[in-house]
Amino acid sequence: MSGFQKATKKQSKGRVLLQAVSGGGKTWTGLHTAIAMAEGGRIAVVDSEHGSAALYGDLFDFDVLEIDAPYTPQKYVDAIKMAEREGYAVVLLDSLSHAWNGSGGVLQMVDDAKVRFRGNQAMAWSVGTPAWQSVIDAMLQCRIHVIATLRSKSKMIEETDDNGKVKGYKKAGMEPVARDGIEFEFTISAELDREHNMVVDKSRCPLLPPGTVLRQPKGDLGAILLEWLNSGAVDTAALAQELMETAGDKAALVAAMKKAGIASADLADEDTLAKARKLAEEIGVSSAAPYHHFPDRRALLTAVALEGYGMMF
């Protein structure tokens, strides 16, 4: 029996990468984009830029978590998970570059490991690569919109003579301060110049193809991207997973939803989803106590297993 099925576009959360040199408007554009994508929800900002986000506190409505050195990847992972857990609609990481080359970031982790491994480059990167990947995984796996900013620097290339001898170096555009290829992890990646104009350089969104130019964008990017993200079928499997994690007790949630007459497919309805979320939250609170309202837990688990209910969970 084939496991393939017809592809269907589903609603999803955005992953936005904004790159710029100092003064290019990363924070300003990131906040405007977050406002557009939040749809009235709350915005969390993880600020490693020495409080720069708070300078816009009178112009935008958001909560901020300021982090200082060491800028370990784990701090970013914890912040992303916290924003998701606390119900924010969007988390803005400003900037992700510190997790790469800041004090305590991946490059310093690799340098420190190289000393421990007596100069063995491969062994040193066996420490740094998983740490960097943990941040990427946290961004990709969380169920809220993620916007990340990166600092950019001048990209230098060699100039050679006719004999192939290096005769100097020249500037060849800009490159982000992060691991090569990071832009491919995002739904859309764009670069801002010093006049705050934006050029999309990588995109999965057909409404914003590569090469799209937005002149001094405010909420333009977020509004256009959100229109596309919200199109398509509701991902009920993802919603079911979210409910399960909220409840913390899979068997209890399955039993409660069965009693309420709610199936996984019903979660596409907003009112039904709201009821299911309330059930999950109540179970989560109850499950946190030493003894909750399911006295015979073994019997419950056995009944659920025998009935085969809740396959999506």
Side-chain angles (χ1 to χ4, degrees):
M1 181 176 177
S2 175
F4 293 102
Q5 57 184 329
K6 182 175 175 57
T8 303
K9 185 189 180 305
K10 297 180 179 179
Q11 296 178 13
S12 58
K13 299 300 181 182
R15 307 290 183 256
V16 179
L17 183 65
L18 301 174
Q19 310 171 41
V21 296
S22 179
K26 298 186 297 297
T27 305
W28 173 263
T29 305
L31 286 168
H32 271 295
T33 304
I35 292 291
M37 296 182 71
E39 298 183 282
R42 295 185 300 146
I43 296 168
V45 177
V46 181
D47 182 359
S48 61
E49 295 279 0
H50 311 292
S52 63
L55 297 175
Y56 301 115
D58 59 336
L59 301 175
F60 300 91
D61 184 12
F62 63 92
D63 296 334
V64 64
L65 172 66
E66 295 182 4
I67 59 175
D68 300 314
Y71 301 106
T72 61
Q74 189 60 46
K75 283 187 177 181
Y76 287 81
V77 172
D78 292 343
I80 293 167
K81 291 181 177 180
M82 184 190 304
E84 180 184 14
R85 186 172 61 249
E86 296 187 4
Y88 288 93
V90 182
V91 59
L92 168 60
L93 309 175
D94 187 37
S95 82
L96 191 58
S97 290
H98 290 87
W100 177 249
N101 76 338
S103 175
V106 171
L107 293 185
Q108 186 173 58
M109 293 174 66
V110 171
D111 286 343
D112 293 343
K114 201 182 302 182
V115 174
R116 296 199 305 273
F117 294 122
R118 299 182 179 181
N120 189 313
Q121 187 86 355
M123 290 295 291
W125 276 104
S126 72
V127 174
T129 295
W132 180 249
Q133 190 60 44
S134 69
V135 181
I136 301 299
D137 290 344
M139 291 191 295
L140 296 180
Q141 293 168 7
C142 78
R143 291 184 297 272
I144 63 177
H145 298 298
V146 178
I147 302 170
T149 70
L150 286 177
R151 295 178 173 183
S152 291
K153 63 180 181 180
S154 297
K155 182 178 182 179
M156 307 299 291
I157 61 172
E158 293 179 347
E159 286 188 298
T160 58
D161 58 22
D162 294 338
N163 297 318
K165 183 178 180 180
V166 176
K167 62 179 183 179
Y169 296 85
K170 68 177 181 179
K171 290 183 179 180
M174 306 301 295
E175 61 181 355
V177 180
R179 191 164 198 169
D180 289 346
I182 187 174
E183 64 273 13
F184 296 106
E185 306 289 354
F186 289 80
T187 312
I188 192 164
S189 171
E191 186 174 323
L192 293 153
D193 62 23
R194 293 189 183 277
E195 285 71 45
H196 314 312
N197 296 312
M198 176 187 292
V199 179
V200 175
D201 55 20
K202 178 267 172 187
S203 175
R204 293 189 175 98
C205 174
L207 302 179
L208 291 163
T212 298
V213 178
L214 299 175
R215 305 292 181 187
Q216 299 184 350
K218 290 188 176 178
D220 311 35
L221 177 69
I224 297 171
L225 181 59
L226 188 67
E227 178 185 348
W228 177 72
L229 291 169
N230 285 346
S231 65
V234 176
D235 190 346
T236 54
L239 292 174
Q241 179 67 22
E242 176 188 341
L243 292 171
M244 185 183 73
E245 293 181 8
T246 300
D249 188 326
K250 176 180 176 179
L253 178 60
V254 168
M257 289 184 65
K258 182 179 180 181
K259 184 177 180 180
I262 301 173
S264 296
D266 300 330
L267 299 177
D269 178 75
E270 290 187 5
D271 291 337
T272 303
L273 177 59
K275 293 176 183 176
R277 280 178 170 155
K278 185 175 181 181
L279 286 173
E281 289 168 1
E282 290 173 350
I283 291 170
V285 172
S286 179
S287 298
Y291 304 97
H292 54 75
H293 59 276
F294 292 96
D296 190 347
R297 187 166 175 73
R298 179 174 295 179
L300 174 62
L301 291 170
T302 301
V304 170
L306 288 174
E307 292 181 19
Y309 184 76
M311 290 185 294
M312 292 296 291
F313 293 80

